[in-house]
Amino acid sequence: MSQAFDVVVIGGGPGGYIAAIRAAQLGFKVACIDEWKNAAGGPAPGGTCTNVGCIPSKALLQSSEHFEHANKHFADHGISATNVKIDIAKMIGRKDTVVKQNNDGILYLFKKNKVTFFHGRGSFVKAVEAGYEIQVAGAKEEVITGQQIIVATGSNARALPGVPFDEETVLSNDGALRLGAVPKKLVLIGSGVIGLEMGSVWRRLGSEVTVLEGLPTFLGAVDEQIAKEAKKAFDKQGLKIELGVKVGEVKTGKKGVNVAYTNAKGEAQSLDADKLVISIGRVPNTIGLNAEAVGLQLDERGAIVVDAECRTSLKGVWAVGDVVRGPMLAHKAEEEGVAVAERIAGQHGHVNFNTVPWVIYTSPEIAWVGETEQQLKARDAKYKAGTFPFLANGRARALGDTTGMVKFLADAATDEILGVHIVGPMASELISEAVVAMEFKASAEDIARICHAHPSLSEATKEAALAVDKRTLNF
Ligand code: FAD
Ligand code: NAI
């Protein structure tokens, strides 16, 4: 007799494991199936985010930032650090420890919440009266049933056509996060989030980095003023970003890789490098799910088709996270996972796509929520803008990090905040205040009238809100 569950979650990334925990909290009997293996072949729940995404990239960004500070900025504080060296194996080992702590943490949370964890691949067998039969193929094979199924199978890196990843010379995010040595020359294709974050890591550690971007504009989804400011900072750091290129033939050999491309002027170019990272986006993953067995509908991109509340084409089957439409972000996946578990329980799950924040963890960090100025112009909105530079913020001066600004966009008539855009120190933390404000439909004046601790970077947020009404106090 197969084990029967109220809810079976396929995929244990941020969408899946959080959905499983929330469903268990709501009193359901829950199983979560995840196939990710650690180096020893054991379970490593947490998905892309924990294993080869958010967590390891931030660990390496931290290590490489320390290295850069020791080399370039300690002297400003009167600290001499000569002959600073980096032990790459140790840095990667630390990153792996951080990843393992997170994998173990999720296994602990499953136990704590009485979620039954299966290590293996989950696939649809057939619809039955009690829901769906799901095959689990792991160390042993078994079939379980779930009344409700949540699919959270995530995404995979998109390869350049005709250039498969070998993770030796042609790397996805996976290979880029576990290089054994600093490549002398590194080329990244795509100046999106991964291109900038991974490019920053290896540049700080000594690589000569070139990022080749197909589009003529830099970070098109980011507010133009903020993107311009960020680009200035990256140029100054020596991160070479070529826009408007057309990548041609990629040849790999014993000595590395050669990338042929046409630059924005239409001139033929070629670059030799030790390693090539392809960071041109990700594709939804339904490999091995046997979606066709039950007729689960996919769109032309391979994403599972869902409605605004994550219902698929099949009764009792839901899908969340990177495998469905919307931004491919861990916190978006988590919010959808919680909302689906609550909807299964008959509650009103809630995800506000207008207040999903974005963060790029470069230095300076870039963070935003809501609409950009170019989006407001495109829809002919009447708005007011206010900016405040970190140069005029006491805490930023004390930190020695005055690059960038906070920018507010508010409705011209009602003063409601429409978007907040930050480039500068700790933008990832500062953006939360804007998210809360927008969720509560605050006006710029609401933020301007709130007492902010002094000295803190958050005073730049208050001042930018004051700037909307042209009454900054410190600039
Ligand atoms: P995933 O995390 O991909 O998890 C899916 C899981 O399902 C995996 O464990 C997979 O093995 C498993 N699985 C798939 N099919 C099956 C099956 N049939 N049976 C069993 N298991 C299966 N987002 C942020 O918000 N912030 C960041 O800083 C950030 N940094 C990133 C850095 C990098 C380098 C990358 C690549 C991504 C980053 N992201 C970041 C994006 C983030 O990782 C994803 O949006 C997030 O992981 C999506 O969660 P998910 O649960 O939908 O899927
Ligand atoms: P991306 O969508 O952020 O950027 C891809 C870039 O590649 C774009 O600028 C695109 O114009 C360019 N591109 C596409 N095809 C190209 C080609 N043939 N030649 C040259 N350029 C080309 O995708 P990326 O960086 O791969 O990251 C995938 C996703 O992972 C992100 O969209 C994001 O959702 C998530 N992520 C989030 C992070 C965060 O939240 N801090 C960090 C890293 C990834």
Side-chain angles (χ1 to χ4, degrees), residues 169-464:
T169 310
V170 181
L171 315 173
S172 69
N173 53 298
D174 183 6
L177 286 161
R178 55 181 168 85
L179 289 174
V182 179
K184 208 161 166 293
K185 288 188 179 180
L186 177 68
V187 172
L188 298 102
I189 300 183
S191 73
V193 201
I194 295 179
L196 293 175
E197 289 189 357
M198 295 318 300
S200 293
V201 165
W202 294 106
R203 180 204 58 77
R204 290 170 188 169
L205 298 174
S207 283
E208 192 185 305
V209 176
T210 308
V211 190
L212 300 176
E213 167 60 45
L215 292 178
T217 42
F218 178 62
L219 286 179
V222 175
D223 184 272
E224 268 169 21
Q225 192 179 5
I226 297 291
K228 211 168 140 194
E229 194 73 12
K231 176 79 167 40
K232 255 198 302 188
F234 298 141
D235 288 347
K236 212 167 135 193
Q237 291 164 7
L239 190 68
K240 275 189 237 153
I241 302 168
E242 278 211 51
L243 300 173
V245 311
K246 194 168 176 348
V247 175
E249 199 180 358
V250 173
K251 281 192 222 145
T252 54
K254 275 199 184 121
K255 285 197 171 157
V257 55
N258 176 272
V259 182
Y261 66 98
T262 313
N263 68 14
K265 292 181 196 149
E267 296 159 346
Q269 305 285 320
S270 124
L271 271 175
D272 289 316
D274 304 287
K275 306 280 179 192
L276 172 68
V277 176
I278 310 285
S279 46
I280 58 170
R282 297 180 62 81
V283 283
N285 168 42
T286 52
I287 297 168
L289 187 63
N290 204 17
E292 52 290 354
V294 284
L296 185 63
Q297 197 188 341
L298 309 183
D299 67 14
E300 63 290 346
R301 289 169 48 244
I304 296 176
V305 176
V306 288
D307 67 8
E309 300 199 322
C310 294
R311 282 183 193 81
T312 69
S313 56
L314 299 174
K315 192 167 177 290
V317 181
W318 310 74
V320 301
D322 280 11
V323 76
V324 304
R325 83 287 171 264
M328 288 185 168
L329 295 172
H331 42 283
K332 176 265 193 183
E334 291 183 14
E335 292 303 309
E336 286 183 334
V338 168
V340 164
E342 292 177 350
R343 284 171 196 139
I344 291 173
Q347 300 182 359
H348 294 280
H350 155 94
V351 183
N352 183 354
F353 282 94
N354 295 327
T355 55
V356 173
W358 275 85
V359 178
I360 306 178
Y361 294 79
T362 43
S363 180
E365 290 185 345
I366 305 164
W368 72 98
V369 57
E371 290 175 284
T372 61
E373 194 161 355
Q374 61 267 28
Q375 281 173 326
L376 293 176
K377 279 184 184 151
R379 71 171 174 87
D380 223 3
K382 301 281 173 283
Y383 66 92
K384 301 175 284 183
T387 58
F388 188 81
F390 283 107
L391 198 62
N393 173 273
R395 184 75 196 281
R397 286 197 206 111
L399 288 171
D401 195 354
T402 53
T403 313
M405 68 178 88
V406 180
K407 173 172 180 174
F408 266 65
L409 296 166
D411 186 280
T414 66
D415 197 37
E416 182 180 340
I417 302 166
L418 302 174
V420 176
H421 306 270
I422 308 175
V423 54
M426 300 309 281
S428 55
E429 300 296 333
L430 293 174
I431 200 66
S432 288
E433 180 180 7
V435 176
V436 174
M438 285 184 65
E439 193 67 48
F440 285 91
K441 299 209 167 290
S443 63
E445 188 180 353
D446 286 329
I447 298 293
R449 286 190 180 278
I450 290 171
C451 182
H452 288 67
H454 176 76
S456 71
L457 296 170
S458 71
E459 287 173 293
T461 307
K462 178 187 170 108
E463 290 275 4

